[in-house]
């Protein structure tokens, strides 16, 4: 796994959220806000 690949990291965070391993999607939201994945600012 390449932690610098934003598409891959987004998929990992989304998978955890959909499987119910991320309560209230807080990890997903935090990673998006930090720019780990998503659109570049």
């Amino acid at each position: 796994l390449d932690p610098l690949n934003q598409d891959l990291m987004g998929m990992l965070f989304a998978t955890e959220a959909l499987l119910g391993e991320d309560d209230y999607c807080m990890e997903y939201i935090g990673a998006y806000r930090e720019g780990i994945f998503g659109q570049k600012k």
Side-chain angles (χ1 to χ4, degrees):
L1 296 174
D2 182 9
L4 299 177
N5 184 333
Q6 288 189 337
D7 293 332
L8 179 62
M9 292 304 292
M11 188 65 69
L12 290 174
F13 281 104
T15 301
E16 288 180 354
L18 291 172
L19 289 175
E21 296 177 7
D22 182 6
D23 293 333
Y24 304 106
C25 299
M26 296 305 292
E27 295 292 326
Y28 182 89
I29 293 168
Y32 183 82
R33 286 182 179 168
E34 292 174 12
I36 295 174
F37 67 93
Q39 295 179 351
K40 297 191 183 215
K41 297 179 181 180

